[in-house]
Amino acid sequence: ASGFIGSEVVRQLNAQGVQPRVLLRKTSSRSNLKGCKYEEKIGELADAESLEKATNGVDYHAIQSYC
């Protein structure tokens, strides 16, 4: 969510009145998310435990990743 596309998805959701929950690495820059409203969860896509914590109670999931 901290890259160009992910941050744009967050901005579009904000424009619709949605404050998304986003999964970010500890080391991810938050500069592209400046001014956005979001709930931050720290974790990794490859870490099942952090994914479970990040998605607990979420109704809709969207995953966007670049390797």
Side-chain angles (χ1 to χ4, degrees):
S2 61
F4 178 76
I5 294 171
S7 60
E8 182 60 24
V9 170
V10 172
R11 278 191 281 286
Q12 292 297 320
L13 288 168
N14 284 177
Q16 295 176 36
V18 176
Q19 181 176 320
R21 182 182 298 177
V22 299
L23 180 69
L24 298 167
R25 293 182 187 100
K26 288 183 216 179
T27 58
S28 292
S29 170
R30 275 73 168 159
S31 62
N32 287 336
L33 293 166
K34 188 174 181 176
C36 295
K37 295 179 182 178
Y38 59 94
E39 179 184 351
E40 181 176 307
K41 295 291 183 179
I42 303 298
E44 297 276 343
L45 287 176
D47 178 16
E49 185 178 342
S50 67
L51 282 177
E52 185 176 336
K53 289 179 182 178
T55 58
N56 187 30
V58 174
D59 293 324
Y60 300 96
H61 303 254
I63 296 176
Q64 177 258 322
S65 175
Y66 293 100
C67 299

